[in-house]
Amino acid sequence: MKALILVGGFGTRLRPLTLSVPKPLVDFANKPMILHQIEALKAIGVTEVVLAINYQPEVMLNFLKEYEKKLEIKITCSQETEPLGTAGPLALARDKLIDDAGTPFFVLNSDVISEYPLKQMIEFHKGHGGEASIMVTKVDEPSKYGVVLMEETSGKVERFVEKPKIFVGNKINAGIYLLNPSVLDRIELRPTSIEKEVFPKIAAEKKLFAMVLPGFWMDIGQPKDYVTGLRLYLDSLRKMSSPKLATGPHIVGNVLVDESAVIGEGCLIGPDVAIGPGCIIDSGVRLSRCTVMRGVRIKKHACISSSIIGWHSTVGRWARVENMTILGEDVHVGDEVYSNGGVVLPHKEIKSSILKPEIVM
């Protein structure tokens, strides 16, 4: 089987992290976002992953070469010269996606994190005999999304309602699809939307089916959702009794700590924290609801909550970093400095407090 991951553009919503690496390579729960998907695809027997990309393909491919060997899966790029939306990239990668046997292929949005029940999806797809399967997930605020109206029993999709003003349903497109190669005949090589142009036509012919995603789902393409996504992901590890979760007297709730990280005396860490490789957390530090990426140093008695600390940054003694502060790569926060929602671009030194959410160039 093959799969296409829609990587797309510049990742502007996750700046300043995406100023250092393309968005799919930003770490989430101690590994690049896209690796969560590639590993899940490999686990169900996908042999080739095509990345649909219009930005920095060299960086992506060089980075993924080591994983190609490690995971024994072929990873290639299909590069757009102009943004082609969510369906155009399928037409562009057509020759890479079809084989002689007419095997269905997966399409995933690169920002989506979930438990990826891809094996069940294959069974579901075979079972209904339609042309395309999409995953849907239930959300509390459907008005922000496109809502999928479907028959409860068969999963047959009736129609889509874009950002409904009144309540029509709470199931939205989860960005994970399994498509027969015949779907490619419906897509022209031009900027076009799979959600708005392609799927409604298949639904009108009663050949589109939706499966309700079990477990959690999050689009982690922006900081607030990234932090929420980490909570849901760690929660799901807890439900599976994963040995990856840290334990000890200084750990509260669900915490992921890379084995190469060093944690000092008297710290309190958690809930919902990820500490990356090579991090040094000095004594008396308090961390909650945050991600601390590779090579970060947090000095004594600093307190960090609801924030993302980018690679190789340092946070000074008694500093307080909170309220969706995002430090880009190699940012240095001085001793006793307070950051209330500061978004700091890479390679900066912060010597005075950031009292209200703002971007620091």
Side-chain angles (χ1 to χ4, degrees):
M1 281 188 89
K2 297 181 180 182
L4 179 84
I5 300 179
L6 295 166
V7 173
F10 300 108
T12 48
R13 296 179 305 162
L14 263 189
R15 282 181 187 160
L17 302 168
T18 48
L19 296 173
S20 299
V21 296
K23 182 169 59 176
L25 301 185
V26 170
D27 295 308
F28 175 81
N30 289 354
K31 62 183 166 198
M33 274 184 200
I34 200 163
L35 211 54
H36 292 273
Q37 301 187 327
I38 294 174
E39 286 175 356
L41 289 163
K42 166 72 186 173
I44 52 126
V46 167
T47 52
E48 183 176 346
V49 175
V50 181
L51 307 177
I53 186 168
N54 62 21
Y55 175 60
Q56 293 184 322
E58 314 76 28
V59 184
M60 290 282 290
L61 281 178
N62 289 341
F63 178 85
L64 291 165
K65 279 225 166 23
E66 59 169 304
Y67 292 103
E68 233 184 347
K69 290 193 191 76
K70 216 185 270 183
L71 297 171
E72 297 173 340
I73 189 168
K74 186 178 171 190
I75 302 172
T76 58
C77 267
S78 167
Q79 193 188 358
E80 310 163 21
T81 48
E82 58 164 341
L84 290 172
T86 50
L90 278 72
L92 188 66
R94 181 188 177 106
D95 296 345
K96 294 179 190 258
L97 294 172
I98 45 183
D99 60 11
D100 302 335
T103 317
F105 57 89
F106 282 101
V107 177
L108 288 85
N109 283 346
S110 70
D111 293 352
V112 164
I113 199 93
S114 74
E115 283 163 20
Y116 307 114
L118 305 176
K119 203 171 164 46
Q120 293 102 294
M121 195 174 191
I122 295 171
E123 298 302 316
F124 174 75
H125 188 75
K126 283 180 183 157
H128 66 65
E131 195 173 356
S133 299
I134 66 173
M135 287 262 193
V136 294
T137 183
K138 293 178 180 172
V139 290
D140 296 335
E141 279 187 68
S143 61
K144 294 198 301 196
Y145 305 92
V147 172
V148 181
L149 299 182
M150 55 188 267
E151 278 178 15
E152 289 301 318
T153 44
S154 66
K156 187 185 289 170
V157 175
E158 290 158 359
R159 62 194 178 97
F160 295 84
V161 184
E162 196 53 44
K163 297 185 177 166
K165 294 276 185 287
I166 53 166
F167 184 85
V168 289
N170 65 346
K171 295 184 194 71
I172 66 160
N173 177 346
I176 302 171
Y177 320 131
L178 185 53
L179 312 177
N180 287 353
S182 58
V183 171
L184 294 169
D185 300 332
R186 299 172 177 270
I187 303 171
E188 296 169 31
L189 183 49
R190 61 177 175 84
T192 164
S193 160
I194 198 163
E195 302 86 357
K196 293 180 184 154
E197 297 181 56
V198 182
F199 287 156
K201 285 180 185 157
I202 305 175
E205 293 176 27
K206 303 195 181 348
K207 292 179 183 171
L208 180 66
F209 291 80
M211 171 181 155
V212 179
L213 181 77
F216 78 101
W217 176 88
M218 201 71 215
D219 175 330
I220 55 172
Q222 51 192 352
K224 184 167 73 24
D225 297 335
Y226 175 106
V227 170
T228 302
L230 182 66
R231 173 175 63 79
L232 298 172
Y233 174 83
L234 294 176
D235 203 37
S236 134
L237 289 186
R238 173 69 66 198
K239 287 187 179 119
M240 296 185 231
S241 311
S242 169
K244 291 180 191 165
L245 291 171
T247 51
H250 59 295
I251 300 288
V252 184
N254 302 331
V255 175
L256 210 52
V257 181
D258 187 89
E259 56 194 18
S260 64
V262 179
I263 295 177
E265 295 288 304
C267 290
L268 191 56
I269 294 174
D272 309 322
V273 172
I275 298 174
C279 290
I280 297 172
I281 312 294
D282 288 353
S283 59
V285 165
R286 175 75 180 104
L287 302 177
S288 64
R289 298 181 303 283
C290 63
T291 288
V292 179
M293 292 185 183
R294 184 181 60 252
V296 165
R297 166 120 191 245
I298 312 285
K299 296 183 181 174
K300 290 180 181 176
H301 306 293
C303 176
I304 300 174
S305 67
S306 302
S307 296
I308 303 172
I309 311 299
W311 312 269
H312 307 291
S313 293
T314 52
V315 175
R317 285 183 224 180
W318 295 101
R320 188 177 181 96
V321 173
E322 62 188 26
N323 190 22
M324 294 312 309
T325 291
I326 302 159
L327 305 185
E329 181 182 17
D330 179 44
V331 167
H332 304 283
V333 174
D335 293 351
E336 300 180 28
V337 165
Y338 171 56
S339 171
N340 172 21
V343 173
V344 186
L345 273 64
H347 315 299
K348 288 288 296 177
E349 195 173 349
I350 301 295
K351 293 177 180 165
S352 56
S353 291
I354 301 168
L355 299 178
K356 61 179 197 311
E358 62 177 315
I359 295 169
V360 180
M361 313 283 278

